[in-house]
Short mmCIF file of all heavy atoms in Angstrom, two decimals:
data_model
loop_
_atom_site.label_atom_id
_atom_site.label_comp_id
_atom_site.label_asym_id
_atom_site.label_seq_id
_atom_site.Cartn_x
_atom_site.Cartn_y
_atom_site.Cartn_z
N ALA B 36 117.48 101.67 51.32
CA ALA B 36 116.44 101.09 50.38
C ALA B 36 116.54 101.78 49.02
O ALA B 36 116.47 101.19 47.95
CB ALA B 36 115.00 101.19 51.00
N PHE B 117 138.83 91.72 92.33
CA PHE B 117 139.17 93.12 92.12
C PHE B 117 138.00 94.03 92.42
O PHE B 117 138.16 95.17 92.96
CB PHE B 117 139.61 93.36 90.68
CG PHE B 117 141.03 92.89 90.32
CD1 PHE B 117 141.53 92.90 89.04
CD2 PHE B 117 141.84 92.37 91.37
CE1 PHE B 117 142.79 92.45 88.81
CE2 PHE B 117 143.11 91.92 91.06
CZ PHE B 117 143.62 91.98 89.79
N GLY B 119 135.62 93.57 94.56
CA GLY B 119 135.43 93.72 96.00
C GLY B 119 136.53 94.71 96.57
O GLY B 119 136.16 95.62 97.40
N TRP B 121 137.86 97.19 94.91
CA TRP B 121 137.53 98.46 94.45
C TRP B 121 136.42 99.14 95.30
O TRP B 121 136.48 100.28 95.70
CB TRP B 121 137.09 98.37 92.94
CG TRP B 121 136.74 99.69 92.41
CD1 TRP B 121 137.50 100.79 92.17
CD2 TRP B 121 135.43 100.07 91.99
NE1 TRP B 121 136.85 101.83 91.61
CE2 TRP B 121 135.53 101.37 91.52
CE3 TRP B 121 134.20 99.39 91.99
CZ2 TRP B 121 134.46 102.08 91.00
CZ3 TRP B 121 133.11 100.08 91.48
CH2 TRP B 121 133.22 101.39 90.99
N ARG B 127 137.34 103.43 101.85
CA ARG B 127 138.57 103.60 102.58
C ARG B 127 138.70 102.55 103.65
O ARG B 127 139.20 102.75 104.78
CB ARG B 127 138.63 104.98 103.20
CG ARG B 127 138.72 106.15 102.24
CD ARG B 127 138.74 107.45 102.95
NE ARG B 127 139.15 108.46 101.97
CZ ARG B 127 140.31 109.18 102.00
NH1 ARG B 127 141.13 108.99 103.03
NH2 ARG B 127 140.61 110.00 101.06
N VAL B 165 141.00 73.74 79.86
CA VAL B 165 140.03 74.33 78.94
C VAL B 165 139.28 73.28 78.12
O VAL B 165 139.94 72.43 77.54
CB VAL B 165 140.66 75.37 77.98
CG1 VAL B 165 139.64 75.93 77.01
CG2 VAL B 165 141.29 76.47 78.82
N GLU B 207 120.21 77.62 67.12
CA GLU B 207 120.62 76.61 68.10
C GLU B 207 121.13 77.25 69.36
O GLU B 207 121.03 76.70 70.50
CB GLU B 207 121.69 75.69 67.56
CG GLU B 207 121.17 74.68 66.50
CD GLU B 207 120.95 75.38 65.17
OE1 GLU B 207 121.64 76.37 64.83
OE2 GLU B 207 120.02 74.92 64.46
N ASP B 239 116.59 85.07 83.64
CA ASP B 239 117.00 83.78 84.29
C ASP B 239 118.41 84.05 84.91
O ASP B 239 118.62 83.55 86.07
CB ASP B 239 117.13 82.66 83.21
CG ASP B 239 115.80 82.17 82.77
OD1 ASP B 239 114.76 82.73 83.18
OD2 ASP B 239 115.70 81.19 82.04
N ALA B 248 122.92 80.81 92.62
CA ALA B 248 123.18 79.55 91.92
C ALA B 248 124.60 79.61 91.22
O ALA B 248 125.11 78.54 90.96
CB ALA B 248 122.10 79.40 90.83
N ALA B 253 129.72 88.20 84.00
CA ALA B 253 130.09 89.46 83.32
C ALA B 253 129.43 89.44 81.89
O ALA B 253 129.59 88.48 81.23
CB ALA B 253 131.58 89.61 83.16
N VAL B 256 127.49 92.07 76.33
CA VAL B 256 126.51 92.15 75.32
C VAL B 256 125.10 91.87 75.88
O VAL B 256 124.96 91.18 76.84
CB VAL B 256 126.75 91.10 74.15
CG1 VAL B 256 127.87 91.57 73.35
CG2 VAL B 256 126.98 89.72 74.72
N PRO B 272 123.29 91.19 91.69
CA PRO B 272 124.45 90.87 92.54
C PRO B 272 125.57 90.06 91.80
O PRO B 272 125.26 89.07 91.14
CB PRO B 272 123.88 90.04 93.63
CG PRO B 272 122.51 89.65 93.20
CD PRO B 272 122.08 90.60 92.17
#
Side-chain angles (χ1 to χ4, degrees):
Chain B
F117 285 174
W121 179 67
R127 295 178 165 245
V165 177
E207 288 73 31
D239 288 4
V256 288

